[in-house]
Amino acid sequence: MRYRLTASDGSHSFELRGKTPLVVGRAPASDIPVIDPTISRRHAELECSDDRVIVRDLGSSNGTFLNGTRVDSAVVAVGDTLTFGKVAFKLQQAPIAPPREQAEGRGPGGATIVRQLPVRDPGASIDSITTPRYDGTVSSDQQTGLADKSRQKLATLLEVSKGLGKATDIDSLLEKIVGYAYQILEVDFVAILLIDDHGELVPKIARDTRGGESGRAVPQSIARTAVNEKVAILSDNAGEDTRFGGQSIVMQQIRSAICCPLIGSEDRALGVLYIDNVTAAHRFSDDDFEFCIAFAGIAAVAIENGQFAQRIQREILTRNNFERFFTPQLAKRIAESSETIRLGGEKCPVAVLFSDIRGFTALAETMRPDDMASLLTEYFTEMVDCVFRYEGTLDKFIGDEIMAQWGAPISTFDDVDRTMSAAIEMMHDLDKLNASWRHAGRPELQIGIGLNFGEAFAGNIGSERRLEFTVIGDTVNTAKRLCSAAGPREILLTDAFRRALRNPPKLIECPPMELKNKTQPVTVYRVVLE
């Protein structure tokens, strides 16, 4: 059975064709575009089968209603009223059009269904170009002409391959692909959509014949079919092709279209290359189709290599910048993250630790530089090991002071408890160091530690030539001032830190402290060390 949605005022009518789910939305590229302020860009989805229609709301702002009742998902019967936002439609049974004569090459619904080819091995399309098809009616001169034409196509593809190999980044690579498409194919519109980390097809570039950015969207029904089924599609009358149920194709007056999936290694779909003509002046031929598939295969290899190179560059930058400050496990997780390392950052909750040597300046005046450097190296090595042991981030050394934090760029549910454990272990490990130094007749060190928990800005601060990941804000400043107020072998923490602890150690509440830039005294607690 075929269905039709008709607006209550008769202004809109959409045939529900094909087995692919159809998106109702305000976006022009929607399968069923409804331009109304109460309609979300992706409002709802309709799935049709031979005996029923299912509607699913896609988290729209103003809701989807079946016969006046708001629904998330429901089966719609003929005669029911579907309302998207404030726009109502009635589901009707569409009349079945009489079949066209097969001699005209027409498929169901009046479409000229030309070809649909699976794309698993793009190299096969190049083979079809290099081995032209002959039949018994072709003369020797014509055979020579076809062979020359095939050699010319192969030479063009070779030049395309060389040119794409010189691109330095993904953006310039996509520009080159579109440029080559206009050089070697007679088209009105070229677009590339790539699959993002969430599996969505995202438009990356779209150009019209003038070379400028085009606001015209790629019909999602065609793109989804190409990606999901890994088929290249040639339609000579896309507006009536029953494989594409979307009304956006009709609205954009697309006459002839080719959509090729970009298939990378391991048969992985990277996105689609889409070209079309909006007039009947030039309709794509079988040769155009096969050439476009081969071109898309080369483009897919270049895009995958570009993405791989971009990922390698990101990992190198990440490792160079972060390995000194993160545990090896955390550095690896960051390097493999899909987030690009960039200037800027975001606000997030972090636990901050400051540790400072008490009386360091006076001690330094009594020691030789070499002895002081040796003592500090042993001290910092042990303290940083404590931070890394609990998967913290070494933010920086400030003279004899250590700043570490937990929670950025990757957080865990027990960041505050890890911070506390690291602080206590720093005290115990320093006790062991002091015992060995005392036995060797070397000076001993004492430290104070300040802890705080709260929101801070975390990100890469600096220039494009040198980035440094850090956290800044009042949370950090308060932890530093608590560290300054802590006595030898004393750990002080704020009430915010105490309340965030899941397994707090024994604590003693101290008298409220006056801290710089704080209008009110701060509630402070001290850890009872065993």
Side-chain angles (χ1 to χ4, degrees):
M1 184 182 295
R2 295 178 63 181
Y3 302 94
R4 174 182 294 162
L5 273 184
T6 303
S8 57
D9 59 2
S11 60
H12 298 80
S13 182
F14 302 100
E15 284 197 28
L16 309 183
R17 298 180 292 182
K19 304 274 176 144
T20 305
L22 306 175
V23 174
V24 181
R26 194 177 71 249
S30 299
D31 301 311
I32 301 177
V34 183
I35 312 304
D36 186 273
T38 65
I39 305 290
S40 300
R41 289 184 63 83
R42 286 175 53 84
H43 194 100
E45 184 178 77
L46 292 171
E47 184 177 337
C48 306
S49 63
D50 293 336
D51 58 351
R52 64 178 182 173
V53 175
I54 298 175
V55 63
R56 298 184 186 89
D57 189 81
L58 298 178
S60 63
S61 300
N62 295 306
T64 299
F65 301 83
L66 177 60
N67 298 324
T69 301
R70 186 163 184 166
V71 295
D72 292 325
S73 178
V75 176
V76 189
V78 172
D80 285 345
T81 298
L82 266 178
T83 305
F84 307 105
K86 293 185 178 180
V87 183
F89 292 87
K90 186 174 288 293
L91 182 68
Q92 301 172 328
Q93 183 176 346
I96 300 177
R100 303 292 183 96
E101 292 183 9
Q102 294 303 312
E104 295 179 355
R106 299 283 173 177
T112 305
I113 301 174
V114 182
R115 295 186 72 185
Q116 178 168 306
L117 292 177
V119 179
R120 296 295 194 279
D121 180 12
S125 298
I126 297 178
D127 291 340
S128 69
I129 291 173
T130 57
T131 309
R133 298 180 301 274
Y134 303 123
D135 56 35
T137 64
V138 178
S139 67
S140 59
D141 289 342
Q142 289 173 320
Q143 289 181 18
T144 302
L146 288 172
D148 290 342
K149 189 175 182 181
S150 295
R151 282 193 291 270
Q152 184 180 0
K153 287 181 178 180
L154 186 61
T156 301
L157 290 175
L158 180 61
E159 289 302 313
V160 169
S161 180
K162 290 179 180 178
L164 295 182
K166 297 175 183 177
T168 57
D169 57 69
I170 291 294
D171 290 337
S172 62
L173 176 62
L174 298 181
E175 289 281 0
K176 280 194 171 188
I177 292 172
V178 170
Y180 279 124
Y182 274 111
Q183 288 178 30
I184 61 182
L185 297 164
E186 190 176 340
V187 297
D188 294 324
F189 176 70
V190 181
I192 296 173
L193 291 76
L194 297 181
I195 297 175
D196 66 9
D197 295 332
H198 305 291
E200 296 291 330
L201 272 171
V202 178
K204 290 297 183 180
I205 187 170
R207 296 286 185 267
D208 57 23
T209 51
R210 297 183 299 274
E213 291 191 15
S214 174
R216 186 152 65 86
V218 174
Q220 290 294 305
S221 48
I222 293 180
R224 284 203 305 271
T225 300
V227 167
N228 293 341
E229 299 181 19
K230 293 190 176 74
V231 293
I233 299 166
L234 165 62
S235 180
D236 196 37
N237 193 347
E240 295 185 12
D241 196 327
T242 55
R243 291 169 299 177
F244 316 130
Q247 295 294 318
S248 60
I249 302 170
V250 179
M251 292 180 65
Q252 296 180 44
Q253 298 179 321
I254 296 166
R255 298 292 299 175
S256 187
I258 295 177
C259 188
C260 294
L262 299 167
I263 305 298
S265 59
E266 299 180 357
D267 201 30
R268 183 172 65 93
L270 308 176
V272 296
L273 169 68
Y274 173 86
I275 63 174
D276 70 34
N277 285 302
V278 296
T279 67
H282 176 73
R283 290 185 173 182
F284 297 123
S285 65
D286 279 358
D287 285 343
D288 293 329
F289 189 39
E290 291 177 354
F291 191 73
C292 190
I293 293 174
F295 174 72
I298 293 172
V301 171
I303 290 171
E304 187 171 50
N305 288 342
Q307 291 175 338
F308 180 71
Q310 195 174 59
R311 185 166 63 250
I312 293 297
Q313 290 175 352
R314 183 180 68 241
E315 290 182 5
I316 290 173
L317 174 61
T318 301
R319 289 184 183 276
N320 287 344
N321 195 46
F322 288 169
E323 275 191 340
R324 296 171 298 162
F325 307 106
F326 297 105
T327 64
Q329 299 90 339
L330 185 56
K332 184 174 184 293
R333 287 172 63 190
I334 298 168
E336 293 174 351
S337 171
S338 60
E339 292 296 320
T340 303
I341 303 303
R342 63 187 186 279
L343 289 174
E346 60 182 356
K347 287 186 176 181
C348 60
V350 294
V352 183
L353 178 152
F354 275 90
S355 169
D356 191 20
I357 299 175
R358 307 290 82 150
F360 176 75
T361 302
L363 178 64
E365 292 177 352
T366 65
M367 297 183 66
R368 293 181 356 185
D370 289 350
D371 293 337
M372 176 55 67
S374 175
L375 192 74
L376 285 178
T377 298
E378 292 181 46
Y379 162 73
F380 282 133
T381 298
E382 289 294 329
M383 298 301 102
V384 171
D385 282 349
C386 290
V387 172
F388 283 0
R389 199 171 298 136
Y390 291 94
E391 298 189 352
T393 297
L394 175 63
D395 193 289
K396 61 175 66 73
F397 295 115
I398 310 170
D400 62 313
E401 189 175 61
I402 296 172
M403 175 184 168
Q405 58 89 6
W406 283 253
I410 298 175
S411 63
T412 62
F413 70 95
D414 58 348
D415 283 331
V416 176
D417 288 87
R418 290 173 184 266
T419 309
M420 175 59 77
S421 297
I424 294 174
E425 199 155 309
M426 288 168 79
M427 288 295 187
H428 291 159
D429 283 6
L430 183 57
D431 288 343
K432 297 175 184 176
L433 277 176
N434 281 329
S436 65
W437 290 337
R438 189 183 312 118
H439 182 74
R442 301 171 68 187
E444 299 178 32
L445 299 178
Q446 294 296 335
I447 61 173
I449 295 177
L451 307 174
N452 192 19
F453 175 74
E455 192 174 73
F457 175 88
N460 295 285
I461 307 298
S463 69
E464 293 286 1
R465 293 180 64 86
R466 178 178 173 81
L467 294 176
E468 180 174 299
F469 189 88
T470 189
V471 292
I472 58 177
D474 182 65
T475 297
V476 179
N477 298 338
T478 299
K480 180 176 175 63
R481 286 166 189 142
L482 276 185
C483 177
S484 299
R489 207 173 182 273
E490 192 170 64
I491 302 173
L492 299 181
L493 55 137
T494 62
D495 187 51
F497 191 97
R498 179 191 66 83
R499 286 184 280 108
L501 283 166
R502 301 166 67 90
N503 298 295
K506 186 176 181 181
L507 302 172
I508 295 177
E509 185 173 355
C510 302
M513 289 187 179
E514 300 278 351
L515 298 180
K516 185 179 179 181
N517 294 333
K518 292 290 187 181
T519 57
Q520 299 293 329
V522 175
T523 301
V524 176
Y525 292 83
R526 176 171 59 85
V527 177
V528 177
L529 295 170
E530 297 178 358

